[in-house]
Amino acid sequence: MRSKLILSLLLLGSITILNSCSKQKGEKAEPAIDDKNLTTCVTGSGCSFLFTEQADFEGYNTLKPGTYRVFWSTQQTSGITTTLYIKTPMPGKSFSLTKTDILAGKIQFNRSCPTCFMYEAPFKPVDGYVKGINTTPNNRADQTKWLVEAKIFLQAEGNPGLKDTVFVKQYFYPNFVIN
């Protein structure tokens, strides 16, 4: 009876050790994104979907050297420029950002209209998600293509009742040169 107890404990201990050392448990699951229903530019506007590495952003429209991969989506229509900046970790072939990351400042949204004669309340990101996958992980960084999906909920600063939502699902291309 004692030998059965010892054998059972050894078996249970072995299973526990094997499960705790499994690589699959330590790996993050890659976010699910498909390339259907990609966002498009509004007729008559210009859009760009770019990223750079070893960067950060400052304020609402300035990139600077840093430790992140920064994605940005820009849409320009008659006098209005809308830009969404997304700051992600450098390592890995995929990423996911949550509300916590958004509230921590990893998303910036800017809508500027220098020729408008009316005041537009600035909006700040308050919720949402962002996920991305490197669709060409074996290529050099300057030849990669990322598929990014972002749904960001915005709230006007000083007016919590005024809300907006930004949705982007598109391929992002490098905006740097590696020698």
Side-chain angles (χ1 to χ4, degrees), residues 11 51 149 156:
L11 184 60
F51 76 91
E149 180 179 324

Side-chain angles (χ1 to χ4, degrees), residues 15-122:
I15 291 171
T16 303
I17 290 171
L18 288 174
N19 282 337
S20 67
C21 293
S22 172
K23 282 187 176 183
Q24 291 178 346
K25 288 194 178 251
E27 294 176 358
K28 284 186 173 180
E30 199 169 87
I33 308 174
D34 63 39
D35 62 354
K36 295 175 180 32
N37 302 318
L38 298 177
T39 53
T40 58
C41 281
V42 176
T43 304
S45 68
C47 293
S48 62
F49 303 95
L50 302 169
F51 76 91
T52 193
E53 296 188 344
Q54 301 298 328
D56 202 342
F57 48 75
E58 182 171 75
Y60 288 102
N61 58 3
T62 305
L63 287 174
K64 65 179 187 174
T67 59
Y68 300 96
R69 182 175 290 117
V70 177
F71 295 84
W72 68 97
S73 161
T74 303
Q75 182 173 350
Q76 294 178 314
T77 57
S78 56
I80 301 173
T81 302
T82 303
T83 306
L84 177 68
Y85 291 100
I86 304 164
K87 184 175 8 180
T88 69
M90 278 295 300
K93 61 180 182 176
S94 67
F95 67 88
S96 267
L97 301 180
T98 64
K99 178 180 181 176
T100 303
D101 299 309
I102 292 167
L103 293 175
K106 295 194 175 175
I107 304 294
Q108 284 287 348
F109 175 79
N110 183 36
R111 185 178 293 138
S112 64
C113 183
T115 59
C116 293
F117 295 109
M118 62 182 192
Y119 171 75
E120 182 179 314

